[in-house]
Amino acid sequence: MTEAGVRTTCPYCGVGCGVIARPDGSIVGDPEHPANRGRLCSKGSALAETLADEDRLTHPLLHGRRVSWNEALDLVAERFAAVIAEHGPDAVAFYVSGQCLTEDYYVANKLMKGFIGSANIDTNSRLCMASTVAGHGRAFGADVVPGIYDDLEEADLVVLVGSNAAWCHPVLHRRLLAAKARRGTRIVTIDPRRTAACEEADLHLALAPGSDVALLAGLIVHLADHDALDRAWLDAHASGLEETLATARTTAGDLDRVAAITGLARSDIALFYDWFATTPRTVTAFSQGVNQSSAGTDKVNAIINCHLATGRIGKPGAGPFSLTGQPNAMGGREVGGLANQLAAHGRFDDPIDVERVRAFWRAPNLATRPGLKAVEMFEAVRDGRIKALWIVATNPAASLPRAQRVREALEACPFVVVSDCWPTDTTALADLVLPAAGWGEKDGTVTNSERRLSRQRPFRKPPGEAKADWWILAQVARRMGWDEAFAWNGPAAIFREHATLSAMLNAGRRPFDLGALATLDSAAYDALEPCRWPLPAGAASEGGRLFAAGGFPTPDGRARLVPTPFRPPAQQPDAERPLLLNTGRVRDQWHTMTRTGRVPKLLAHIGAPTATLAPGDAARLGIADGGLVRLTSADGSLVLHAAVSATQREGEVFVPMHWTHAFASAGPVARLVGAACDPVSGQPELKATPVAAEPVAIRWRGLLLHRRPVAPAEPDIHWSRIPLARGHALELAGSGELPQGQALTAMAWRLLDVPAAADHLEVVDPGRRVWRFATLTSGRLEACLFLAAAGSAAPLPTRETLAGLLGGPVAEGARAALLAGRSAGCTDEGGRTVCACFSVGLATLRAAIVARRLTSIAELGSALRAGTGCGSCIPELREIIRDVHAAAAA
Ligand SMILES: Nc1nc2c(c(=O)[nH]1)N[C@H]1C(S)=C(S)[C@@H](COP(=O)(O)OP(=O)(O)OC[C@H]3O[C@@H](n4cnc5c(=O)[nH]c(N)nc54)[C@H](O)[C@@H]3O)O[C@H]1N2
Ligand SMILES: Nc1nc2c(c(=O)[nH]1)N[C@H]1C(S)=C(S)[C@@H](COP(=O)(O)OP(=O)(O)OC[C@H]3O[C@@H](n4cnc5c(=O)[nH]c(N)nc54)[C@H](O)[C@@H]3O)O[C@H]1N2
Ligand code: SF4
Ligand SMILES: [Mo]
């Protein structure tokens, strides 16, 4: 039974959960989608709240001026054609995204590689999955994930390497934990940080950053020395064992050397090796702690080597498993969206593939060699080799390493086009901004981590004149003179073409085959059920596990074990920059926050960017929990709040990737991140940049609530923004002396930035060192500001207490309460929100655990409902229960 509504797919992570958009505007999990069976995580559950039109881009904007679509499309076609005519096709580039639908991606790739005649199209997947793509290619001969999600439920041992699945692939992680409850699956996490995923693990190996290859070299040596290799399988289906073992032995011959390189206890390493050796049903799932490394491809192959050596691949509960990041990172790889791929898993180094694509597209100028990879591409933009750039569905000014240089590149480039749904750090630097239709409005397909295609179906109209990306790209192609090749009437026609190409001259040569879908008519495309490839013409059922019995798409049909000599991260800490900066994700935010940053409840768990340091480092550097810290790398410097936590390894500092200039004064942490790249995949090392950390004194704190998204410009005011139902809250910390007297009042009114005609209230209490200001327009609260000097006796009011008043009428009698930081009828706030689904705060949880002597997740769930929604907070709830009881016992 399907619930009424439109069945579509969540636009966030690569788990690819099915959702139903109901007629009443709610969005719920699709009980029939095989990825999630109705479950959703906190981000998926808040999708309905991201659909407001107010801030959307609705019209093409040329240097901020509204222009018609006709004008905009003609301009793109003319400017690109002119650059190509004068400087050749390699002087233009596209930078696209794993958040494009397959159909959008196919059109962009066909236009650049087939018709413009350059392979200068790369994607944010270069920052995400490129090392896995390269590792799969080296081992299997093609970019293929051998396993399926069920394997995580059928395994006896699951090793999570560089993956915080509890926060980044939450529904899949819940499936794993449910299986653990049933069958006692062992979980090992390999991550320098103790993440939420480590909470439920049997063993956490907090290895030194970048030392994975050494740990895995020790593992394969252990497997060989303990008779755990599957010799028969290796003889039949793989080659390269001897060289690989020899290299592993020289890197990590014995436990002592592995322990020295990784910094792990010998006993922990030995336990992990023993579990792996003795558990046939082992899945090794990996993500960005593996890929985003200057040795990323070697890390991927070191993992796959251990699976090939034991024949544990494509079997129930056994295999290496790449957890993809973006909703359509996989689809992008299928259409060949990376600069070094051809369409439909075609290869530039295979003349048959090149001819196949040329003939199929009837492409006059097919590119015949790889183009520039993301980091190189933006360097080429910066030094003028690329003169026209089109960015689609990605925010490189905030997400590429050395983001400051990316900004310089965009400023220097003569013609930058950006297609997005919202204004971003990148659209701010564009010449031409094109309004794209977003999730809920777009129509097409995506592929998730287990090769499963699902439909994204529209259920609302795009705001204003926003258009689908495929349409925009095809319109430009037609205006450049390639009318016939880009004449589709909708996504179904594009999909058929893509599926046909995947089947052309295939006959089992390439596992990526959608031949069975090549003739779908529009109605069948609309009705398409989620299905997994390979799907060759005539396939009786969807694709399943691959390669258990060999049959790899290599010339000799055998898989390759690849020798992977260990090398540490490209840049090492030194006396000047003694810490390594690690960056990644938090539970409730998606990337650069253009969607999740608008949902108040998604900022309740973590509302500001912090730099998390280990207690020892913080003490040595004089940095306090909650204080400010300045981080400085070779590329830049930023100031943000510090968090001191024992989850952090000594010598490392962690900063989330999400906050941009729109959400915090610190701006994107990508400004600090170095751009050393993996030599094989070109993927940048986003998790290991040497930085210095120093304390910055806080002279005063403030809370600013405003109806409009104001942003203080003063360099010594450090702020972060949280959206409220009717406005914004900014937490302020001042590192300069608080001005005195009138200068202070002047600063306050500048921050409040409200019309002089408004009704101003202020309470100044220099004795207690607090200052309070409020502005009312027509009796409604427009903005208010509370300042307290460091050491002030009176604490600032909390955001939660006042949020409800913003935008509402303030009665005469309530003015005094407002300025006292109280709101009539507002209960005590429950501290930081832990359970986003039912808005249960930390203080409430702690109080209930003590008062009702709660000891389990189940009891907490029945008492407060916490953890009974999406379940992504369960690891944290467990930690809180443990902490409260530990504190009580102490
Ligand atoms: N909430 C949320 N979920 C998301 C996303 C999001 O933005 N928000 N984005 C999606 C996308 S595109 C992606 S790519 C995935 C990423 O999913 P993950 O890869 O799970 O997320 P990250 O936080 O980037 O990094 C994972 C871990 O790698 C660890 N790590 C750092 N260095 C090393 C190392 O040298 N070795 C090992 N073994 N580990 C290391 C980090 O400490 C971190 O905990 O998440 C997807 N899901
Ligand atoms: N320091 C550091 N940097 C990182 C990472 C890290 O771990 N650390 N992780 C890297 C990884 S794995 C990834 S995947 C990237 C992600 O980095 P980005 O791709 O830059 O991040 P997003 O915020 O997802 O950007 C997507 C943009 O597309 C817009 N958009 C959404 N839907 C549509 C649509 O349908 N059409 C169009 N035209 N636009 C749309 C959104 O508003 C948003 O501006 O960041 C990378 N950068
Ligand atoms: S796990 Fe969460 S973010 Fe990922 S697809 Fe499912 S609902 Fe969306
Ligand atoms: Mo990603």
Side-chain angles (χ1 to χ4, degrees):
M1 256 263 316
T2 302
E3 286 187 61
V6 174
R7 294 176 70 202
T8 179
T9 313
C10 174
Y12 299 125
C13 84
V15 176
C17 297
V19 302
I20 299 175
R22 286 186 181 146
D24 66 2
S26 64
I27 290 172
V28 296
D30 179 352
E32 289 178 15
H33 196 288
N36 58 317
R37 301 264 174 237
R39 294 186 195 84
L40 292 179
C41 75
S42 50
K43 293 179 298 301
S45 313
L47 271 168
E49 285 142 82
T50 64
L51 295 175
D53 283 348
E54 34 189 294
D55 302 325
R56 287 282 297 271
L57 294 167
T58 48
H59 300 279
L61 298 171
L62 179 62
H63 298 128
R65 177 177 61 87
R66 181 171 161 182
V67 293
S68 71
W69 268 113
N70 244 330
E71 242 178 295
L73 296 166
D74 281 345
L75 182 71
V76 181
E78 275 163 29
R79 293 293 298 261
F80 271 72
V83 172
I84 295 163
E86 193 177 343
H87 303 282
D90 288 334
V92 300
F94 292 170
Y95 183 58
V96 300
S97 162
Q99 292 166 72
C100 293
L101 302 181
T102 298
E103 292 75 5
D104 303 327
Y105 235 133
Y106 179 86
V107 178
N109 190 53
K110 180 176 182 182
L111 173 55
M112 184 53 84
K113 292 197 184 119
F115 289 77
I116 289 178
S118 167
N120 280 347
I121 171 169
D122 211 39
T123 125
N124 62 2
S125 285
R126 184 70 59 195
L127 315 180
C128 181
M129 303 312 302
S131 297
T132 289
V133 174
H136 282 162
R138 291 203 300 192
F140 309 145
D143 177 22
V144 179
V145 174
I148 60 176
Y149 286 163
D150 295 354
D151 292 328
L152 288 158
E153 292 167 331
E154 293 178 32
D156 295 317
L157 172 66
V158 172
V159 186
L160 292 172
V161 194
S163 154
N164 182 10
W167 282 6
C168 297
H169 297 91
V171 165
L172 206 49
H173 190 248
R174 296 291 311 148
R175 285 178 60 172
L176 168 61
L177 296 186
K180 181 180 175 66
R182 280 196 306 274
R183 64 184 291 145
T185 319
R186 271 195 182 124
I187 301 176
V188 176
T189 51
I190 301 179
D191 192 312
R193 296 191 302 149
R194 183 154 64 79
T195 64
C198 302
E199 282 302 312
E200 322 271 336
D202 299 272
L203 176 65
H204 169 212
L205 299 176
L207 81 180
S211 65
D212 306 69
V213 168
L215 180 67
L216 293 157
L219 175 59
I220 200 166
V221 169
H222 176 97
L223 296 171
D225 293 350
H226 292 78
D227 203 23
L229 302 183
D230 187 339
R231 294 277 177 188
W233 194 90
L234 281 163
D235 286 346
H237 304 302
S239 43
L241 175 70
E242 295 316 321
E243 307 88 283
T244 300
L245 264 179
T247 304
R249 280 188 202 283
T250 51
T251 303
D254 56 65
L255 229 48
D256 288 329
R257 276 168 64 207
V258 177
I261 297 173
T262 60
L264 296 169
R266 284 177 47 122
S267 54
D268 286 345
I269 302 170
L271 185 61
F272 165 53
Y273 288 177
D274 180 53
W275 284 354
F276 197 106
T278 55
T279 315
R281 284 177 175 249
T282 294
V283 169
T284 307
F286 55 97
S287 196
Q288 297 315 338
V290 168
N291 294 328
Q292 289 172 342
S293 155
S294 58
T297 310
D298 280 354
K299 289 190 187 183
V300 171
N301 285 110
I303 290 169
I304 296 174
N305 287 344
C306 294
H307 280 268
L308 293 173
T310 48
R312 293 180 195 159
I313 186 164
K315 296 176 181 164
F321 202 105
S322 151
L323 296 170
T324 24
Q326 296 176 92
N328 200 31
M330 292 284 276
R333 288 144 69 178
E334 291 155 18
V335 305
L338 290 158
N340 52 329
Q341 302 177 314
L342 264 179
H345 278 198
R347 299 163 57 116
F348 278 111
D349 61 5
D350 180 342
I352 299 176
D353 274 352
V354 176
E355 278 321 305
R356 168 176 65 105
V357 176
R358 193 202 308 276
F360 181 76
W361 280 346
R362 278 179 269 163
N365 316 319
L366 186 79
T368 52
R369 59 188 162 82
L372 295 174
K373 303 186 174 103
V375 172
E376 308 165 330
M377 179 185 280
F378 279 83
E379 284 298 307
V381 173
R382 190 166 175 273
D383 67 25
R385 278 172 289 153
I386 289 174
K387 298 170 195 336
L389 173 66
W390 189 351
I391 298 167
V392 182
T394 175
N395 188 4
S399 60
L400 268 178
R402 298 211 277 182
Q404 202 50 43
R405 277 173 85 90
V406 172
R407 279 160 198 267
E408 288 164 20
L410 295 176
E411 276 160 10
C413 185
F415 189 55
V416 177
V417 185
V418 179
S419 306
D420 205 297
C421 311
W422 285 275
T424 67
D425 286 19
T426 303
T427 60
L429 300 166
D431 295 286
L432 180 66
V433 177
L434 300 177
W439 183 77
E441 300 143 18
K442 308 184 53 155
D443 191 6
T445 52
V446 290
T447 308
N448 73 5
S449 295
E450 62 157 359
R451 293 178 267 117
R452 184 177 296 285
L453 274 72
S454 297
R455 290 279 280 111
Q456 270 200 16
R457 297 184 177 90
F459 56 87
R460 68 196 296 272
K461 286 224 168 338
E465 296 179 351
K467 297 280 189 200
D469 290 306
W470 73 264
W471 182 89
I472 305 174
L473 287 154
Q475 282 296 319
V476 167
R478 295 173 72 166
R479 281 159 211 249
M480 290 178 80
W482 300 300
D483 218 1
E484 210 181 319
F486 293 85
W488 308 284
N489 59 2
I494 304 172
F495 183 82
R496 278 193 294 274
E497 185 176 311
H498 166 58
T500 306
L501 176 56
S502 75
M504 185 177 175
L505 299 177
N506 192 332
R509 247 180 95 232
R510 300 179 306 272
F512 176 64
D513 188 335
L514 302 181
L517 307 178
T519 54
L520 291 185
D521 60 21
S522 294
Y525 175 76
D526 282 343
L528 185 67
E529 288 291 324
C531 55
R532 207 161 41 209
W533 59 264
L535 288 162
S541 59
E542 67 173 3
R545 300 178 176 93
L546 297 169
F547 309 142
F552 293 91
T554 50
D556 60 4
R558 300 170 72 85
R560 310 259 182 270
L561 285 83
V562 181
T564 56
F566 167 71
R567 49 178 207 286
Q571 291 178 282
Q572 290 298 311
D574 56 19
E576 195 188 343
R577 291 188 273 271
L579 302 177
L580 268 188
L581 171 67
N582 178 6
T583 63
R585 291 156 173 80
V586 303
R587 193 188 75 191
D588 292 348
Q589 288 307 319
W590 178 258
H591 294 168
T592 69
M593 300 172 66
T594 58
R595 285 172 285 189
T596 47
R598 289 171 208 285
V599 182
K601 78 174 184 205
L602 293 182
L603 278 139
H605 179 237
I606 297 180
T610 53
T612 308
L613 293 129
D617 289 329
R620 195 170 41 256
L621 296 162
I623 294 165
D625 190 50
L628 289 176
V629 53
R630 173 177 287 106
L631 299 179
T632 308
S633 76
D635 287 292
S637 140
L638 54 79
V639 175
L640 72 179
H641 282 282
V644 178
S645 165
T647 59
Q648 196 64 28
R649 217 173 171 277
E650 296 276 317
E652 256 204 280
V653 47
F654 180 83
V655 178
M657 66 168 290
H658 308 289
W659 276 262
T660 64
H661 288 294
F663 292 95
S665 52
V669 69
R671 296 197 294 127
L672 303 195
V673 174
C677 289
D678 178 274
V680 185
S681 69
Q683 179 154 358
E685 183 144 75
L686 300 172
K687 293 191 164 13
T689 305
V691 293
E694 53 175 328
V696 174
I698 298 181
R699 311 269 180 216
W700 56 271
R701 291 182 190 268
L703 174 69
L704 172 63
L705 268 62
H706 210 295
R707 297 272 288 141
R708 285 182 291 114
V710 292
E714 291 80 349
D716 58 359
I717 300 184
H718 311 281
W719 56 267
S720 51
R721 177 199 309 287
I722 292 181
L724 304 173
R726 284 176 299 184
H728 306 260
L730 274 74
E731 315 261 3
L732 312 176
S735 55
E737 280 304 336
L738 200 58
Q740 305 279 317
Q742 293 214 323
L744 185 144
T745 320
M747 178 185 93
W749 295 120
R750 203 164 60 244
L751 289 173
L752 285 161
D753 184 34
V754 280
D759 182 6
H760 297 312
L761 312 175
E762 64 180 81
V763 169
V764 177
D765 185 350
R768 289 166 69 220
R769 313 205 64 201
V770 292
W771 294 265
R772 295 164 182 162
F773 305 85
T775 301
L776 306 163
T777 44
S778 320
R780 287 171 186 275
L781 182 62
E782 188 66 27
C784 55
L785 172 67
F786 297 78
L787 301 173
S792 154
L796 290 170
T798 63
R799 173 179 90 234
E800 291 85 350
T801 318
L802 293 172
L805 294 181
L806 198 63
V810 181
E812 274 302 322
R815 293 179 168 210
L818 165 66
L819 285 175
R822 283 184 275 112
S823 89
C826 202
T827 53
D828 247 348
E829 99 286 2
R832 176 173 65 79
T833 302
V834 177
C835 168
C837 297
F838 297 111
S839 299
V840 188
L842 183 60
T844 311
L845 287 163
R846 286 200 172 127
I849 294 168
V850 175
R852 306 199 214 171
R853 298 199 181 80
L854 306 177
T855 56
S856 69
I857 294 295
E859 287 170 7
L860 205 56
S862 39
L864 298 172
R865 298 185 79 194
T868 59
C870 75
S872 342
C873 63
I874 290 178
E876 204 172 344
L877 293 177
R878 228 184 268 294
E879 203 182 343
I880 294 165
I881 297 176
R882 216 185 42 214
D883 284 355
V884 171
H885 289 292

